[in-house]
Amino acid sequence: MTLQQFFEDNARVALGFSGGVDSAFLLSAALRYGAQVRPYYIQTVFQPEFEQQDARRLCQELGVELHVIPLDILAQEQVRKNPSDRCYYCKRILFSALKEQALANGFPVLIDGTNASDDAGDRPGMRALGELSVRSPLRECNLSKTQVRELSRKAGLFTWDKPAYACLATRIPAGRELTPEELSRVEQAEDFLFCLGFTDFRVRVPEGRALLQMPEEQLPLALEKRREILSVLGELFPAVALDLKPR
């Protein structure tokens, strides 16, 4: 199956839209092949502000309206308690809310940006998508992450080389309860590092300390910017460390 065939067979779809590489390309493809597509962005404390800004920018460039669904995900104990399978519960709650809204708006098919490179065995959230009958056109059409990036580049999408970004909850070790305060500190820290020129990194918080993980080629920059990093992140966390094993 090709994407064109998918959207010819499913001409009215709701898209779980994150503003990332995959969902951005999927939105562009749906529009190119004439489908009626409505992008929904679920706003929680797990998504940093820049993700919603990217989602809004892309929708504006493509000429479609972004529909934002605010959701208090930490009100859900199964998510807030942060078990090892938190992603399953989180994804099920998010897409259940999205599906309810989409059906109310007259969109019978719900799709997401899972691609053929995503390993179902390592992603409990994909089980939730299956249970809710969420379709994944990129995966169904056997399009890998590399192919999606190249097709996005050719389509002129600014997201084509956007680094992969996991939600803020992944920075907190499983088993430690999630709080909006700690998630906010992580977001502030990562925003600051982005401003310093770092990319594709993570600020993890084992035992409440900040542990910076970044690509090997950016380690010299971390040492160069050491004083600035300690000055700002030291106000957010009791200790700041650099992981010398590159991510």
Side-chain angles (χ1 to χ4, degrees):
M1 179 189 293
T2 65
L3 279 181
Q4 182 171 355
Q5 290 170 331
F6 178 91
F7 288 117
E8 286 175 352
D9 293 341
N10 302 277
R12 189 172 173 85
V13 297
L15 168 64
F17 187 59
S18 68
V21 179
D22 299 313
S23 61
F25 173 69
L26 199 52
L27 177 59
S28 172
L31 293 169
R32 183 167 66 253
Y33 295 128
Q36 286 185 284
V37 56
R38 177 171 292 189
Y40 292 88
Y41 181 95
I42 305 182
Q43 182 181 26
T44 76
V45 292
F46 291 170
Q47 280 73 44
E49 178 60 28
F50 80 83
E51 288 280 54
Q52 186 172 158
Q53 291 175 356
D54 282 355
R56 290 190 181 280
R57 174 186 168 187
L58 188 79
C59 285
Q60 184 175 28
E61 291 183 0
L62 295 177
V64 295
E65 181 183 359
L66 178 65
H67 295 259
V68 178
I69 302 175
L71 195 151
D72 183 6
I73 193 65
L74 293 185
Q76 308 294 326
E77 184 176 7
Q78 289 172 314
V79 175
R80 186 179 67 254
K81 292 297 184 181
N82 196 21
S84 58
D85 56 352
R86 179 206 69 247
C87 188
Y88 165 77
Y89 293 110
C90 183
K91 190 77 76 173
R92 185 167 180 92
I93 291 165
L94 296 181
F95 274 82
S96 292
L98 200 163
K99 187 171 186 176
E100 180 180 355
Q101 186 65 59
L103 288 173
N105 294 151
F107 290 85
V109 178
L110 178 57
I111 63 176
D112 89 313
T114 302
N115 64 61
S117 300
D118 293 326
D119 182 4
D122 191 41
R123 294 184 178 234
M126 290 175 66
R127 176 162 60 96
L129 297 180
E131 292 172 357
L132 294 169
S133 299
V134 177
R135 303 284 300 274
S136 301
L138 300 177
R139 190 173 180 83
E140 292 179 31
C141 296
N142 201 33
L143 289 171
S144 68
K145 189 75 169 187
T146 300
Q147 290 173 307
V148 170
R149 287 192 183 278
E150 178 59 18
L151 291 169
S152 296
R153 186 187 66 79
K154 291 179 179 178
L157 304 179
F158 75 87
T159 52
W160 77 270
D161 62 346
K162 183 177 178 178
Y165 191 88
C167 85
L168 292 170
T170 62
R171 314 301 194 265
I172 317 297
R176 193 164 86 231
E177 185 165 334
L178 301 171
T179 67
E181 293 79 16
E182 187 163 43
L183 292 167
S184 177
R185 288 196 297 272
V186 171
E187 181 177 359
Q188 291 176 63
E190 294 195 347
D191 281 347
F192 174 71
L193 292 174
F194 275 125
C195 291
L196 288 182
F198 293 96
T199 59
D200 197 23
F201 63 89
R202 300 287 184 267
V203 176
R204 303 200 185 275
V205 285
E207 302 175 352
R209 299 174 290 106
L211 178 64
L212 280 54
Q213 297 179 332
M214 52 190 56
E216 185 171 8
E217 63 272 15
Q218 294 183 36
L219 292 177
L221 179 61
L223 296 176
E224 177 187 334
K225 301 289 185 180
R226 171 179 168 273
R227 291 186 181 276
E228 295 171 70
I229 292 171
L230 287 175
S231 175
V232 174
L233 270 61
E235 294 294 320
L236 299 170
F237 302 97
V240 180
L242 176 63
D243 192 342
L244 294 180
K245 182 180 179 181
R247 59 174 262 102

